[in-house]
Amino acid sequence: MESLNNELIIEGIRSQNPYILNQIYTNYFPEIRKFIIDNNGTIQDAKDIFQEAIIIIYRKLKVENIVITKSFNLYLIGVCRYLWYRQVAFVKNESEQLNHFAEYERLPEFEIDEVEKNDKYKLYQFHFKQLGIDCQKILEMFLNNVPIKEIARKMGNTSENYIKSRKYKCKEQLVNNIKNDPRFAKYEKK
Amino acid sequence: MKRNNFDLTERYLMGDLSAEESTAFEKLMETDTELKAELNLGKEINEAILESDIMNLRHTMSEIMNKKQKPVFIKNPFLWPATAAVFILAMIINTLFISSPADKNDIFKKYYKAYPSVYSSRSSQKQLRDQQCLRIAFEQYEKPDFESAGLLFKEMWIKDSTNNMAKFYLSIALIEQNKMNEAEKYLNELTLNKQHLFYEQSVWYLALVYLNNNKPDEAERLLNKIISENLSNKTRAKQILKSLN
């Protein structure tokens, strides 16, 4: 098993290097899995938590560098433990306990904000991926400021009006699907 | 009411409202919390859609975790135990029965193996141009069409001179095309900086290229460095040094 230093790991996450990500999974997942299962979770819970921890770290790296003074393992476990307790606390409605836990784990405010955002955006992205491919493409092109003419050409030489109306319907469908998802209610209350 | 809110916020976000309409919308939003919430949701969804990098990472992680039990969608570039065993055996026979020092070019042929691609195969379409370029480059590399792959890696490296991965694979593509001097130049540059993922492999390949280019002193220096700094391919470096002496 290849042992990786913190710099390699951080760079691997930043560049989404599949080899490094694979190594991180091989090296660190067993401990995360043990922790989740010991705390009444399933293997699937462990995988979800592990995946989102890596994404939260990536999100942070997009904004600034991460300085890990001890081992990456400890840092990753701290994030995973927080994510797991957060998930459990949501179910039990124990947000106060969660704040105490975050303080105990010394998770900076930044991470907690990122966790909130990541949760919400994960839901949005889940529903976005459930749309038809055409809808996904049209919305992406619109938001990337691709001219409507170009979008119409790429979508099989349709009219610009058709593209506009299609884009509207796609977004409307996406918003409705999100609002109808029971998981969305917890974000609405905030 | 909700339908109107969606329509209004969508037109506002897309810049389809006139200046007067936009001002009226902003004023209305100050008192209408539902409208404000609709606008925030619309904005956040747009932001989330633009996070193709996050969606790609989630996809990669999911592939890694779900394929972990089945070998092997990412080729491990560092561990070749079977190959190493064959080399060790070959070296023992060489040491026991062949007394003359080995030919440098033969050593190169014996130890050189193109570095495996570290790119994961994806079923999803990638949106970003650079990622597409990377995907195509690795597809060519795996075919193998080293000439095309080399051109693509070079293009990526010229665009971003800090892209050491592109530079490294460009070097391997050049070796495969027998453009050893050019490969030596790039690998040499890659070994000047330790702070990248391909440093150790660059040292190893540069040592092999030196052997091929009949520069045994430089090759020995690097092979010794691999051993003293405990870099990848240490065992093979020892074997080569033995056979050189």
Side-chain angles (χ1 to χ4, degrees), chain A residues 8 16-19 22 25-26 51-52 58-59 62 120-121 124-125 144 167-168 171-172 179, chain B residues 3 6-7 10 14 38 44 46-48 50-51 53 58 64-65 68 74 77-78 118 197:
Chain A
L8 269 180
Q16 300 195 12
N17 182 307
Y19 175 72
N22 193 45
Y25 178 70
T26 307
Q51 174 177 281
E52 293 314 308
Y58 174 82
R59 278 187 187 282
K62 280 175 76 175
K120 248 200 285 187
Y121 281 30
Y124 302 158
Q125 285 160 355
N144 280 306
K167 180 249 159 192
Y168 182 92
K171 180 79 183 280
E172 190 180 34
K179 283 181 178 174
Chain B
R3 164 80 190 206
F6 172 76
D7 186 53
E10 207 42 31
M14 295 313 292
E38 188 80 42
E44 285 179 352
N46 287 353
E47 267 184 34
L50 286 171
E51 286 188 338
D53 57 338
R58 196 169 275 126
I64 288 171
M65 293 192 292
K68 193 63 196 170
I74 295 166
F78 300 113
V118 292
L197 294 174

Side-chain angles (χ1 to χ4, degrees), chain B:
Chain B
M1 181 64 193
K2 277 187 177 175
R3 164 80 190 206
N4 288 340
N5 276 353
F6 172 76
D7 186 53
L8 258 179
T9 52
E10 207 42 31
R11 286 172 57 206
Y12 177 78
L13 285 172
M14 295 313 292
D16 287 343
L17 296 180
S18 67
E20 294 79 30
E21 286 173 328
S22 285
T23 313
F25 176 85
E26 282 158 11
K27 198 164 184 188
L28 185 61
M29 215 173 44
E30 287 171 12
T31 52
D32 190 334
T33 50
E34 239 181 76
L35 184 65
K36 196 174 177 182
E38 188 80 42
L39 179 70
N40 284 339
L41 177 63
K43 273 186 189 171
E44 285 179 352
I45 291 174
N46 287 353
E47 267 184 34
I49 292 171
L50 286 171
E51 286 188 338
S52 54
D53 57 338
I54 301 277
M55 288 186 264
N56 280 338
L57 179 56
R58 196 169 275 126
H59 178 82
T60 304
M61 289 307 299
S62 167
E63 270 193 337
I64 288 171
M65 293 192 292
N66 293 326
K67 289 189 181 175
K68 193 63 196 170
Q69 304 308 321
K70 307 168 199 165
V72 169
F73 95 110
I74 295 166
K75 297 167 193 165
N76 184 332
F78 300 113
L79 302 174
W80 296 326
T83 321
V86 171
F87 283 141
I88 291 166
L89 191 63
M91 289 316 300
I92 291 168
I93 292 166
N94 189 46
T95 315
L96 290 178
F97 301 107
I98 304 168
S99 55
S100 63
D103 179 79
K104 320 283 180 301
N105 206 266
D106 287 347
I107 295 174
F108 173 83
K109 283 178 189 159
K110 192 169 173 181
Y111 284 88
Y112 173 76
K113 187 178 175 184
Y115 192 71
S117 151
V118 292
Y119 192 74
S120 68
S121 56
R122 297 272 182 90
S123 54
S124 68
Q125 283 275 323
K126 293 200 167 189
Q127 302 301 322
L128 299 173
R129 160 102 181 83
D130 285 352
Q131 282 176 330
Q132 274 178 346
C133 191
L134 188 67
R135 179 175 57 79
I136 296 165
F138 276 116
E139 275 172 12
Q140 299 304 313
Y141 189 88
E142 283 174 350
K143 255 181 188 177
D145 176 354
F146 292 108
E147 193 178 349
S148 306
L151 288 172
L152 289 165
F153 285 125
K154 193 168 191 173
E155 186 189 324
M156 279 185 275
W157 172 64
I158 287 169
K159 266 190 195 164
D160 174 9
S161 63
T162 63
N163 189 342
N164 289 315
M165 182 172 75
K167 195 173 187 177
F168 174 76
Y169 278 99
L170 165 64
S171 310
I172 304 299
L174 288 167
I175 294 174
E176 289 289 341
Q177 295 170 75
N178 207 22
K179 295 178 180 172
M180 295 294 184
N181 290 337
E182 231 182 311
E184 182 186 316
K185 176 178 167 281
Y186 290 128
L187 287 168
N188 197 11
E189 287 168 9
L190 281 166
T191 58
L192 298 178
N193 170 20
K194 288 185 178 184
Q195 302 302 315
H196 62 85
L197 294 174
F198 294 92
Y199 168 72
E200 295 189 15
Q201 294 302 323
S202 298
V203 175
W204 167 246
Y205 280 103
L206 182 57
L208 292 181
V209 168
Y210 277 147
L211 283 173
N212 183 79
N213 291 354
N214 206 17
K215 295 180 178 173
D217 293 345
E218 278 97 331
E220 269 189 43
R221 180 178 57 79
L222 285 186
L223 293 168
N224 280 318
K225 184 186 177 81
I226 290 170
I227 296 162
S228 65
E229 292 183 13
N230 204 18
L231 306 180
S232 302
N233 302 299
K234 187 177 168 181
T235 312
R236 279 182 276 177
K238 279 182 184 168
Q239 291 163 1
I240 294 176
L241 280 175
K242 257 190 190 174
S243 65
L244 280 174
N245 300 318

